[in-house]
Amino acid sequence: MNMQTGRRGIHVDQSDLLCKKGCGFYGNPAWQGFCSKCWRDEYQRVRQRQIQEDWELAERLQREEEAAFANSQGAQSLTFSKFEEKKTNEKTRKVTTVKKFFTPSSRASTKKEIQDIKAPSPSLSRQTSIETDEVSKDFVEFLKTYHKVGQFIFKQCRLYIEDVHLKKELSVEEQSECVQDFYQSMADRLQTRWKLPADRVEKVMDEIEKYIMTRLYKNVFCPESTDDEKKDLAIQKRIRALHWVTPQMLCVPVDEEIPEVSDMVVKAITDIIEMDSKRVPQDKLSCTTRCSKHIFNAIKITKDEPASADDFLPTLIYIVLKANPPRLQSNIQYITRFCNPSRLMSGEDGYYFTNLCCAVAFIEKLDGQSLNLSQEEFERYMSGQASPKKQDSEDWSPDICLGLKQIYKNRRLLSQMNERQEKIIAEAKKLEKDLIDWTDGIAKEVQDIVDKYPLDIKQKKQTLVAIDSENVENDKLPPPLQPQVFAG
């Protein structure tokens, strides 16, 4: 064996410094005794083996899922969350093994590759919520009654969801087209290949929509690539500015003083607000439908006769103004993009949803003419400078709260005082202008007269005065000389 002396006089065997691969180059202890070339080759080999094992694991888990699904009479099948947890544990274990085999290198490229291996895929790392787990469990239980058809449906839905997660770069319009194509394809296959009747196909498609859109909700509802959020803020601000609109202005045939009618109005407002809490488009449509039915009942109780379409739309507009639903435009766009077209384009759900879209469009374009107001009045109400006059306290129901009556009375007095103050200020400004004009007119007339008749002032002639007149100290002069007579 070849021996040599180290820096500290220690004998070292040169063969221990060679690469473990036996390529003849010296190895690096930081790379587990491999040279740089062999270490990269070994790293790539282990990485390929890891990828292959992951694929085999995914296929095995897919087979286990299908087998557990088919075994409806056997032991309880594993839930989707357990499968996700199992795959995550397998992935973590194998990544840990690779991490132990290779130590981090100082090279930037090697560190980046190791980080890529450690990072789990989005589909594995995504934590499913309780609602998602419940929907998945209900979907599996529903498909158990369809046997082979259920297996086919479940497999197609799983493949589609995985495909959507891999195509996150698609725009929301492209994602909408993909979902609609999937709905149409599944409906055609169920009718032509599996010979399901139309009513069962509709029921299955509702369950498919519920399962798929619950899993994809966070990715496709109000995405950042759209201006849905901006539209939400705009319509919300618009509705807040229209808080002064009364039922009489919209010709709403609803009397909220009737207790039953008031309860129906509250329920309608609750349903339209609840729409934002739902994930599935058909559930959001159901909220709109329940709200509309409460509106029809309120109109029927008030008028004591069935409501018409001319009565329904103004009342729906009034309900939307009172509720100011959160993320209204986002919910409308979400339903339009991802709802099953057979449900959206027909039936009472589609009718009520169309009326909701019309109500929102009316609110966006609402002006004074729509409310039988002048444009000046409309602008004053919108700016908050004034508000519509409330009814007098004599006309109120005796059940109305006294504090509410006092509030309306004070607001009416403040409004009257404001009008009087504005009138006084306007007259004061007019008086000030008149005084300025009068002063300027008088000054001009005086100047014209002076220019026409100029004043020539002559100086007075000076009179003769005594020599001592300018002497202010005359009293100090000696007395005048007196003539004296000499005897002689």
Side-chain angles (χ1 to χ4, degrees), residues 358-468:
C358 294
V360 174
F362 178 85
I363 292 173
E364 291 177 338
K365 299 179 180 179
L366 185 64
D367 55 8
Q369 186 177 1
S370 304
L371 301 175
N372 296 323
L373 298 173
S374 64
Q375 190 62 26
E376 181 181 357
E377 288 179 324
F378 181 79
E379 293 297 335
R380 290 182 64 190
Y381 294 158
M382 289 293 290
S383 62
Q385 296 179 358
S387 61
K389 293 183 178 180
K390 304 296 180 181
Q391 54 186 353
D392 295 332
S393 58
E394 293 79 5
D395 300 333
W396 280 335
S397 172
D399 297 333
I400 297 297
C401 176
L402 295 177
L404 188 61
K405 293 181 179 180
Q406 188 64 35
I407 289 175
Y408 284 134
K409 182 178 179 180
N410 294 340
R411 289 184 61 183
R412 184 170 63 254
L413 292 176
L414 289 174
S415 178
Q416 294 175 358
M417 292 176 63
N418 186 33
E419 293 178 357
R420 292 177 58 187
Q421 184 179 11
E422 291 179 356
K423 184 177 180 180
I424 292 173
I425 292 175
E427 292 178 354
K429 290 182 178 180
K430 183 177 181 299
L431 178 59
E432 181 182 7
K433 183 177 181 300
D434 293 342
L435 288 174
I436 294 174
D437 295 341
W438 178 79
T439 303
D440 294 340
I442 295 297
K444 186 176 182 301
E445 291 180 1
V446 171
Q447 187 63 36
D448 292 341
I449 294 175
V450 170
D451 294 340
K452 185 176 181 181
Y453 304 103
L455 182 61
D456 186 12
I457 300 176
K458 297 181 178 179
Q459 295 182 354
K460 294 175 62 177
K461 295 182 178 180
Q462 296 182 353
T463 58
L464 296 176
V465 296
I467 298 176
D468 297 335

Side-chain angles (χ1 to χ4, degrees), residues 101-153:
F101 186 79
F102 295 109
T103 57
S105 171
S106 59
R107 297 176 57 187
S109 60
T110 306
K111 287 184 178 180
K112 185 177 183 303
E113 292 176 351
I114 293 176
Q115 290 176 356
D116 291 341
I117 292 180
K118 291 170 63 178
S121 61
S123 61
L124 296 178
S125 62
R126 184 173 59 87
Q127 299 296 328
T128 57
S129 64
I130 297 177
E131 183 178 357
T132 304
D133 292 340
E134 291 294 332
V135 170
S136 301
K137 188 184 300 183
D138 295 341
F139 187 59
V140 171
E141 292 296 330
F142 170 78
L143 294 180
K144 283 182 179 180
T145 59
Y146 286 83
H147 305 294
K148 291 185 178 180
V149 183
Q151 296 180 25
F152 167 76
I153 295 171

Side-chain angles (χ1 to χ4, degrees), residues 35-82:
C35 65
S36 60
K37 181 178 181 301
C38 294
W39 190 88
R40 286 196 300 271
D41 295 340
E42 185 69 12
Y43 176 80
Q44 293 295 334
R45 183 182 66 80
V46 174
R47 187 178 183 185
Q48 291 297 329
R49 185 178 63 185
Q50 173 70 22
I51 294 173
Q52 183 64 28
E53 291 178 356
D54 289 344
W55 277 107
E56 294 175 358
L57 174 64
E59 293 176 357
R60 179 168 60 84
L61 291 175
Q62 181 68 23
R63 290 194 298 270
E64 291 178 1
E65 279 186 341
E66 294 177 357
F69 172 79
N71 188 15
S72 59
Q73 302 299 330
Q76 184 178 2
S77 60
L78 295 175
T79 61
F80 294 103
S81 60
K82 291 183 179 180

Side-chain angles (χ1 to χ4, degrees), residues 65-336:
E65 279 186 341
E66 294 177 357
F69 172 79
N71 188 15
S72 59
Q73 302 299 330
Q76 184 178 2
S77 60
L78 295 175
T79 61
F80 294 103
S81 60
K82 291 183 179 180
F83 280 117
E84 294 288 344
E85 181 180 359
K86 186 175 181 180
K87 289 192 284 186
T88 305
N89 292 337
E90 289 286 340
K91 185 73 175 176
T92 305
R93 181 181 61 79
K94 295 188 176 187
V95 170
T96 305
T97 303
V98 176
K99 181 178 179 182
K100 290 181 179 179
F101 186 79
F102 295 109
T103 57
S105 171
S106 59
R107 297 176 57 187
S109 60
T110 306
K111 287 184 178 180
K112 185 177 183 303
E113 292 176 351
I114 293 176
Q115 290 176 356
D116 291 341
I117 292 180
K118 291 170 63 178
S121 61
S123 61
L124 296 178
S125 62
R126 184 173 59 87
Q127 299 296 328
T128 57
S129 64
I130 297 177
E131 183 178 357
T132 304
D133 292 340
E134 291 294 332
V135 170
S136 301
K137 188 184 300 183
D138 295 341
F139 187 59
V140 171
E141 292 296 330
F142 170 78
L143 294 180
K144 283 182 179 180
T145 59
Y146 286 83
H147 305 294
K148 291 185 178 180
V149 183
Q151 296 180 25
F152 167 76
I153 295 171
F154 176 74
K155 183 177 180 181
Q156 294 298 319
C157 292
R158 290 283 295 179
L159 292 176
Y160 175 75
I161 291 174
E162 292 296 332
D163 184 61
V164 171
H165 281 302
L166 294 176
K167 296 180 179 179
K168 290 186 176 181
E169 70 279 358
L170 294 179
S171 63
V172 66
E173 287 77 13
E174 294 172 336
Q175 290 177 345
S176 175
E177 292 180 2
C178 291
V179 171
Q180 298 299 331
D181 292 342
F182 179 75
Y183 289 155
Q184 187 64 38
S185 174
M186 287 298 297
D188 293 342
R189 289 185 183 183
L190 293 176
Q191 289 180 347
T192 57
R193 177 179 174 182
W194 299 101
K195 307 299 181 181
L196 292 181
D199 56 341
R200 298 192 70 184
V201 170
E202 184 178 356
K203 187 176 181 181
V204 171
M205 292 305 301
D206 289 342
E207 294 296 326
I208 290 175
E209 177 190 329
K210 185 176 181 181
Y211 173 68
I212 289 178
M213 297 315 303
T214 302
R215 300 294 295 268
L216 301 179
Y217 178 78
K218 293 182 179 180
N219 297 329
V220 298
F221 182 83
C222 191
E224 296 180 357
S225 58
T226 64
D227 58 348
D228 293 348
E229 184 176 1
K230 182 179 179 181
K231 292 180 179 179
D232 290 336
L233 297 176
I235 189 64
Q236 192 175 47
K237 182 178 179 180
R238 175 74 172 175
I239 292 176
R240 286 177 180 173
L242 292 169
H243 66 91
W244 48 269
V245 177
T246 61
Q248 292 75 20
M249 293 179 180
L250 295 171
C251 299
V252 175
V254 170
D255 187 3
E256 294 187 61
E257 294 183 0
I258 303 175
E260 296 181 2
V261 175
S262 179
D263 292 340
M264 292 296 175
V265 171
V266 172
K267 290 179 180 179
I269 293 174
T270 303
D271 289 331
I272 198 68
I273 293 176
E274 189 181 359
M275 178 177 62
D276 184 61
S277 64
K278 304 299 181 180
R279 288 192 174 189
V280 185
Q282 59 181 279
D283 292 342
K284 294 181 181 292
L285 281 178
S286 299
C287 292
T288 305
T289 302
R290 291 196 302 270
C291 171
S292 302
K293 289 183 177 180
H294 289 315
I295 291 174
F296 273 107
N297 291 333
I299 297 174
K300 182 178 180 181
I301 295 173
T302 301
K303 300 180 65 176
D304 198 16
E305 62 182 15
S308 63
D310 295 336
D311 297 332
F312 170 68
L313 184 57
T315 310
L316 179 60
I317 295 171
Y318 175 67
I319 294 297
V320 173
L321 289 175
K322 290 196 68 174
N324 196 0
R327 300 191 292 186
L328 181 57
Q329 286 288 3
S330 292
N331 283 288
I332 291 177
Q333 293 298 327
Y334 177 72
I335 295 172
T336 304

